Amino acid sequence: MQKTISIVTGWGDGYGAGHVQRMASLCLALAEVPGIVPVIVSSTRPEFLDCERKIDFRSAPDPASSLIVRDMRDSTREQMLELKKTAPVLAVDDIGEGRGVADHVLDLLPNPAVSGENPHYRRDLYLYGGNFMGSLRRLDRERIPKDMDVLVYSGHLAGGEDEAFFRSIIPGEASAVILGGSGRTTLNTQGDELGRMEYAELLARAKVFVSHFGISLYEARLAGCSVMALNPSAYHSSLADMVLGDVVDVNAGERASRDPAEVRGLCAGLLRDLKTSDAKPREMLALAERSLAACRDFVVALASGARGKRPS
């Protein structure tokens, strides 16, 4: 019997790109399961997704859904109860009051709203972004030397002022690429090769990665980068603190309160103390695919009426 899974998510101001990116990965994985029909429910289809193959975007959950996956962080009780009229709801990384009335709860990230041990935290089910997964599959290389100093992701809504700030934190003659809403900028590099590389290869080649707390930090860690968090808010900075040593090497705190020279010094320190000299894309892909498959199976089990057993 066919089962529809409606994935409710968002992107843009207040959400960034990470929620819809990871739900795109989940949607594509679910689409490969016989009898499962996944759809993404979002106000608009994001232009930055390059993995929209097989993805059905809708404006509302399918009325015949067997399960609704909600990945939009701050739910209200009313929002959750409205979704539950259609199907049981899995709340992902939710810190709103609606979390308490969801049928199922899953935290892929540390949840600052939970004190003490969190039984819903499942790092083994972590979802990487659709763009990252697609570019990593296309990369298909055994080993890549880390021959670029710094990769910066300033955010998909970043503008010229943001780029100017991030240019100012690059140490000396370090080679760098800055990715963001205004496109791609290369510094101290030869030719235009880095300007053409896909996202996963840029991460594989980068020694140091700088961005705000979010999915890209986890992708950089998987690629063996030394990771620095530089955040737009105290909330993002508190999350970075929660994964310090695991995902983040240096949390530079809130960007608005930091002098560029101080951040530049922190970046230079990471360049002096590198984690590895190369990346292993095929190993990266195997790890990412394993957690994606585990999360897919967890969600399918919930849609089938089971409780989503922990993978062995």
Side-chain angles (χ1 to χ4, degrees):
M1 179 179 176
Q2 181 172 290
K3 295 183 181 297
T4 300
I5 299 175
S6 292
I7 301 171
V8 179
T9 190
W11 63 278
D13 192 26
Y15 289 108
H19 294 276
V20 73
Q21 283 279 4
R22 67 184 184 179
M23 289 299 109
S25 283
L26 177 60
C27 186
L28 290 172
L30 289 170
E32 295 175 352
V33 179
I36 297 294
V37 179
V39 300
I40 289 184
V41 180
S42 182
S43 56
T44 55
R45 181 190 297 260
E47 295 180 358
F48 53 78
L49 268 185
D50 66 5
C51 60
E52 291 175 320
R53 174 186 56 87
K54 305 179 186 174
I55 296 181
D56 182 3
F57 277 83
R58 307 270 184 95
S59 59
D62 190 307
S65 296
S66 297
L67 178 72
I68 293 176
V69 179
R70 187 188 186 279
D71 182 12
M72 291 185 72
R73 198 173 59 224
D74 305 313
S75 69
T76 65
R77 180 181 176 86
E78 292 71 26
Q79 288 171 333
M80 196 64 72
L81 290 174
E82 185 63 28
L83 290 175
K84 283 164 63 76
K85 292 178 183 178
T86 300
V89 179
L90 168 64
V92 180
D93 286 324
D94 199 314
I95 61 173
E97 61 179 10
R99 175 186 177 100
V101 295
D103 299 277
H104 312 283
V105 174
L106 173 63
D107 289 328
L108 301 175
L109 302 172
N111 194 319
V114 178
S115 58
E117 185 176 353
N118 181 0
H120 302 294
Y121 180 44
R122 297 290 300 274
R123 182 76 160 84
D124 57 313
L125 304 187
Y126 191 80
L127 294 171
Y128 297 91
N131 287 3
F132 173 71
M133 293 295 291
S135 62
L136 187 55
R137 291 182 185 112
R138 290 188 292 271
L139 187 54
D140 192 28
R141 298 265 295 277
E142 188 68 38
R143 190 179 299 269
I144 291 179
K146 287 192 168 294
D147 53 9
M148 177 177 65
D149 292 323
V150 183
L151 177 62
V152 175
Y153 175 59
S154 58
H156 77 283
L157 294 177
E161 182 179 336
D162 300 287
E163 182 182 317
F165 176 86
F166 284 108
R167 287 174 70 102
S168 72
I169 69 169
I170 305 301
E173 297 300 313
S175 58
V177 172
I178 301 173
L179 301 175
S182 57
R184 181 179 302 199
T185 299
T186 60
L187 302 174
N188 304 319
T189 61
Q190 296 288 327
D192 62 353
E193 183 183 3
L194 291 176
R196 299 192 307 268
M197 282 181 188
E198 289 198 79
Y199 176 52
E201 184 167 1
L202 287 172
L203 281 174
R205 291 187 178 279
K207 299 171 184 174
V208 173
F209 181 77
V210 181
S211 189
H212 56 278
F213 181 85
I215 194 170
S216 62
L217 298 189
Y218 285 77
E219 292 163 351
R221 173 60 87 213
L222 185 66
C225 301
S226 295
V227 176
M228 179 164 68
L230 186 60
N231 303 289
S233 70
Y235 170 74
H236 288 84
S237 189
S238 68
L239 287 172
D241 277 338
M242 294 179 77
V243 294
L244 199 60
D246 176 25
V247 177
V248 174
D249 294 293
V250 172
N251 182 11
E254 294 178 67
R255 175 181 145 186
S257 64
R258 296 308 300 258
D259 182 275
E262 293 178 321
V263 181
R264 189 164 58 247
L266 293 173
C267 192
L270 288 176
L271 282 172
R272 289 193 296 268
D273 187 22
L274 296 179
K275 288 186 168 299
T276 183
S277 59
D278 55 24
K280 300 174 181 177
R282 287 178 185 156
E283 288 187 15
M284 291 163 54
L285 180 60
L287 290 170
E289 294 276 24
R290 184 169 67 189
S291 60
L292 173 59
C295 191
R296 175 202 64 203
D297 294 346
F298 178 89
V299 171
V300 169
L302 294 181
S304 302
R307 294 185 58 85
K309 296 181 180 178
R310 179 177 295 272
S312 58

